[in-house]
Amino acid sequence: MDLVLETATMLSVFAAERLRRIEALRREELALIVGLGNGAIEVAERSIRLELSAAMRITEYAAGRLLLQADALVNRYSGALDALGKARITEKHAEILVDLLDPVMPELRADIVDRAVALAEAESVGTFRRRLRDLIGQVEAKTLEERYASAVADRRLAVEAGSDGMGLLLLHAPFVELQAIYGRAAAMAKAIKATEGETRTLDQIRADVVSDLLIDGTTAHVPATASGIRASVVVTVPALSLLNANAGTTGDAPVVEGVGPIPLSRARELCGGDAKWMRVLSHPETGMVLSVGREQYSPPPALRKLVKWRADRCMGPGCGMPASRCEVDHQVAWSRDDGETSLDNLAPLCKGHHTVKHHGGWDVQQIDGSGGAVEWTSPTGRRYVVAPERRVPTFRVGGGEGVLVRDRAGVHDAPF
């Protein structure tokens, strides 16, 4: 493993140097045509891309991507290029950083770059992509209402012909609804797959379920275990945002699991909807059951929801599987005398990571006092820490002076 990591380090160092040289090549070629007009610049850039692709034996598209990455990292994100050159991030981290930051308005981008590089240095590729998107969404939240109102007007349904009698049905709609549609289809497909004699794959069943619902409007012919399944979407909203009519441009934006930030007006609509929406406030109510100790193996529904809400994703290293689709695992096995069914001993794991945890020779423990961080120790002895997306706040009353809240910022007066 040390030899593999040594090679990976060299690849990052060489990737940074390659990008620096590509940008130097571009500048050198463009310097020859200064003052000749935009037409000459376009021809020169196409010529550079062509020679780069021919010399490296790659496609022109790939060569164009390299030129764009080199320009961005050398001229706009030098901190990321420096981190790549010192092997603190990988080339994939650098690509994601450029792809996600370049579309951001320049005046907002300046507030994100340093934090984006820090995230890249701390997180695996999948987690970095997700958290950078979240960070961008939070920064852009001030304009989210206006942008969402404009974008939602463009919703549409289209059909695209394929080959062999197949095709694609394309629904361009708010991502919250799309996530709910997919979640219901997936849950129904799993229930149908478990029936005796079923031979279709999950992908095939999901497609058939959606077709049945849209064409016939009913699932009466499917097993009873699947016909009653409804969509479930987790919406997390700062409590004060629901109460303050002017909170739309301040504070944290509401977040939908698997989707990201949404407009506050949409969040208020969802939080006032029916019971199929799970509503979680940023400051959970006191008195919630956090442990049943050794009394029972299966977590109570409220505890199970809290465990998944805190993690947001599978707690396997680098995994992006939404917690809603994961199994709840006891880090210390319940079969042991000290294995309790409590918040301090539970975490969501996707089926693959759950299997590896129990049968792959890994040791997995929740770190005491960490608020849910899980440490994975590999068979080679290396340790990897996975932190949850959120921490559960704790509350205490301080000497009759009111309510104090303990969270990441320390102990302070409650904002209510």
Side-chain angles (χ1 to χ4, degrees):
M1 194 65 197
D2 286 339
L3 293 175
V4 171
L5 292 176
E6 182 180 54
T7 305
T9 296
M10 290 190 290
L11 285 173
S12 293
V13 173
F14 282 126
E17 184 58 28
R18 182 177 66 175
L19 291 169
R20 290 190 183 97
R21 295 184 181 191
I22 287 173
E23 176 58 13
L25 166 68
R26 188 183 74 89
R27 288 183 178 182
E28 182 179 292
E29 293 296 320
L30 292 181
L32 300 175
I33 57 166
V34 172
L36 296 184
N38 291 334
I41 293 176
E42 290 178 8
V43 172
E45 288 182 338
R46 179 63 190 269
S47 176
I48 295 167
R49 188 167 73 245
L50 174 61
E51 182 166 13
L52 194 62
S53 67
M56 296 181 66
R57 294 186 291 178
I58 58 178
T59 65
E60 281 197 52
Y61 173 80
R65 285 276 297 167
L66 283 173
L67 285 162
L68 289 173
Q69 293 282 329
D71 175 28
L73 288 166
V74 171
N75 299 316
R76 294 190 292 283
Y77 314 121
S78 57
L81 183 61
D82 182 64
L84 178 63
K86 295 177 180 176
R88 296 198 301 267
I89 66 174
T90 68
E91 187 173 13
K92 191 62 181 178
H93 283 94
E95 290 178 8
I96 293 170
L97 184 141
V98 172
D99 289 344
L100 293 185
L101 286 187
D102 264 5
V104 177
M105 291 183 290
E107 58 269 26
L108 297 179
R109 189 191 303 151
D111 296 332
I112 304 176
V113 175
D114 290 344
R115 284 184 285 174
V117 174
L119 276 176
E121 292 180 352
E123 305 291 354
S124 60
V125 166
T127 304
F128 168 63
R129 179 189 287 110
R130 185 175 71 253
R131 291 192 173 172
L132 180 54
R133 281 176 176 159
D134 290 344
L135 175 60
I136 292 171
Q138 293 294 342
V139 171
E140 292 182 332
K142 294 181 180 180
T143 61
L144 184 57
E145 290 280 353
E146 181 180 344
R147 289 184 289 111
Y148 176 79
S150 174
V152 77
D154 194 35
R155 60 192 182 279
R156 62 190 181 277
L157 184 68
V159 175
E160 201 173 274
S163 57
D164 303 322
M166 302 296 285
L168 290 172
L169 179 67
L170 305 174
L171 175 60
H172 183 69
F175 197 28
V176 173
E177 277 82 349
L178 297 181
Q179 192 83 347
I181 291 169
Y182 183 85
R184 183 184 182 192
M188 294 176 69
K190 286 181 180 179
I192 295 171
K193 182 66 175 174
T195 59
E196 185 177 354
E198 181 58 62
T199 59
R200 291 173 294 174
T201 66
L202 282 174
D203 276 337
Q204 291 170 342
I205 299 174
R206 275 193 293 263
D208 293 345
V209 163
V210 172
S211 297
D212 290 341
L213 286 171
L214 291 177
I215 295 172
D216 298 327
T218 179
T219 56
H221 61 289
V222 304
T225 53
S227 61
I229 292 174
R230 294 295 179 266
S232 177
V233 174
V234 178
V235 184
T236 301
V237 187
L240 295 183
S241 295
L242 291 177
L243 304 175
N244 183 0
N246 299 317
T249 59
T250 61
D252 294 335
V255 174
V256 172
E257 180 186 69
V259 176
I262 61 173
L264 181 58
S265 59
R266 190 76 174 104
R268 285 180 174 143
E269 177 187 339
L270 297 179
C271 286
D274 61 42
K276 67 185 179 183
W277 303 100
M278 173 186 164
R279 296 173 289 279
V280 181
L281 299 183
S282 294
H283 298 289
E285 298 176 354
T286 58
M288 178 177 286
V289 177
L290 300 182
S291 174
V292 293
R294 298 285 301 161
E295 297 300 318
Q296 67 182 65
Y297 169 77
S298 181
L303 178 56
R304 181 182 294 272
K305 285 184 177 182
L306 183 59
V307 167
K308 291 187 175 185
W309 172 82
R310 176 180 67 178
D312 191 62
R313 301 279 167 167
C314 167
M315 291 295 287
C319 188
M321 178 72 72
S324 59
R325 293 161 58 189
C326 293
E327 302 166 347
V328 175
D329 171 69
H330 290 71
Q331 265 78 71
V332 177
W334 192 79
S335 57
R336 287 175 35 174
D337 291 339
D338 56 344
E340 296 187 349
T341 301
S342 68
L343 186 63
D344 293 335
N345 192 42
L346 297 173
L349 296 177
C350 68
K351 193 169 187 65
H353 282 118
H354 203 170
T355 301
V356 169
K357 183 238 179 183
H358 285 290
H359 305 291
W362 289 71
D363 178 68
V364 182
Q365 301 289 336
Q366 193 168 143
I367 301 173
D368 290 340
S370 67
V374 175
E375 181 181 70
W376 291 67
T377 303
S378 74
T380 63
R382 288 175 173 79
R383 290 177 170 81
Y384 308 92
V385 175
V386 181
E389 290 291 312
R390 309 180 182 98
R391 294 192 63 177
V392 178
T394 58
F395 300 79
R396 70 180 177 86
V397 178
E401 298 179 357
V403 180
L404 298 182
V405 178
R406 182 184 300 277
D407 58 18
R408 287 182 177 178
V411 178
H412 52 85
D413 291 334
F416 46 79

